[in-house]
Amino acid sequence: MGPNGETVGIVPTDQALKLAQEADLDLVEIAPMGKPPVCKLMDYGKFKYENAQKAREARRNQTNVIIKEMKLRPKIDAHDYETKKGHVVRFLKAGDKVKITIMFRGREQHRPELGYRLLQKLAEDVQELGFVESNPKQDGRNMVMVLGPHKKKAEAKLEVKAAKQEAAAERAAEQAAEHAERTAVQPSTTKKAKRANEALDPDIDL
């Protein structure tokens, strides 16, 4: 095969090597089990580089979904609930799934509706960022629900990166403005010295 995929035909090995040398290309065997084996004229170094670039890009765009876990008690107080909800919000914004576990102890095991209502409340509070992927289910002494993010992992990463860049740009602009303000109000020592000399008595012998 030629460098553009065109068929050259069956040629002896020495002739194929000569063609490759004349075209300043490599003769690469791409189907060694063929009868006869199939070779192609190509720039092998460029071929390896492009394949490496494609593999790197594929890894960068790969979505590795991570499942985070958050544990709550059915009678959790308001402050602790807000703290736990904040963690769930952060996980969902990052594109991760969140497994919510309600832990029942003692007599709480006879009041599963407490856990169910708490899970429903949490799902409603974070509905803009995630959805209920797995409805609440009783699992022994625990009740479990899984929340999935609306945004994919790759999209979440891009948003976080953009937010960091924007924050960095704002900080740089503030620092530049502060520097400009300090420079503008700084008095001129040369002018002060000149005014001081002008105030001296001209008859005084210095």
Side-chain angles (χ1 to χ4, degrees):
M1 296 178 64
N4 298 318
E6 67 275 15
T7 302
V8 177
I10 301 174
V11 297
T13 304
D14 57 346
Q15 185 178 344
L17 290 171
K18 185 178 180 181
L19 290 172
Q21 186 176 5
E22 290 174 352
D24 195 21
L25 295 171
D26 302 303
L27 182 65
V28 181
E29 194 175 42
I30 59 175
M33 303 305 293
K35 295 182 180 180
V38 180
C39 298
K40 183 177 181 179
L41 299 178
M42 67 171 68
D43 184 337
Y44 189 61
K46 181 180 179 182
F47 172 76
K48 287 180 65 177
Y49 174 77
E50 290 177 347
N51 278 356
Q53 288 290 92
K54 289 178 182 178
R56 191 178 296 112
E57 188 67 23
R59 287 194 299 269
R60 187 182 296 116
N61 295 331
Q62 187 177 5
T63 55
N64 296 321
V65 178
I66 300 175
I67 298 180
K68 304 288 188 176
E69 184 171 10
M70 187 59 57
K71 295 182 179 180
L72 295 81
R73 296 291 307 281
K75 294 182 180 180
I76 187 172
D77 61 54
H79 180 268
D80 286 343
Y81 172 79
E82 290 299 322
T83 301
K84 299 280 188 179
K85 185 181 75 174
H87 292 313
V88 174
V89 167
R90 178 163 52 86
F91 295 148
L92 292 173
K93 281 185 176 180
D96 297 322
K97 294 183 181 182
V98 188
K99 177 183 177 183
I100 313 296
T101 302
I102 304 294
M103 301 179 297
F104 297 96
R105 294 179 183 175
R107 296 181 180 179
E108 293 175 348
Q109 298 179 54
H110 303 292
R111 301 288 304 279
E113 68 278 4
L114 295 177
Y116 185 79
R117 284 202 295 266
L118 181 59
L119 291 175
Q120 279 189 318
K121 173 178 171 56
L122 181 59
E124 291 174 359
D125 288 346
V126 300
Q127 61 183 343
E128 293 184 1
L129 299 171
F131 61 96
V132 178
E133 187 174 287
S134 177
N135 289 318
K137 294 181 181 178
Q138 192 76 27
D139 182 15
R141 295 183 178 183
N142 301 327
M143 183 174 287
V144 178
M145 177 182 72
V146 177
L147 296 174
H150 287 312
K151 295 180 180 178
K152 295 181 179 180
K153 186 78 172 179
E155 295 176 358
K157 282 185 176 180
L158 289 175
E159 287 190 358
V160 171
K161 184 178 180 180
K164 288 182 178 179
Q165 291 176 343
E166 184 177 352
E170 289 179 356
R171 286 196 299 270
E174 290 175 359
Q175 291 174 357
E178 290 175 1
H179 178 71
E181 185 177 353
R182 286 196 301 268
T183 304
V185 300
Q186 186 176 6
S188 173
T189 56
T190 304
K191 290 183 178 180
K192 278 188 175 181
K194 185 176 180 181
R195 286 197 298 269
N197 291 335
E198 290 174 353
L200 294 175
D201 189 340
D203 296 330
I204 297 177
D205 188 5
L206 300 178

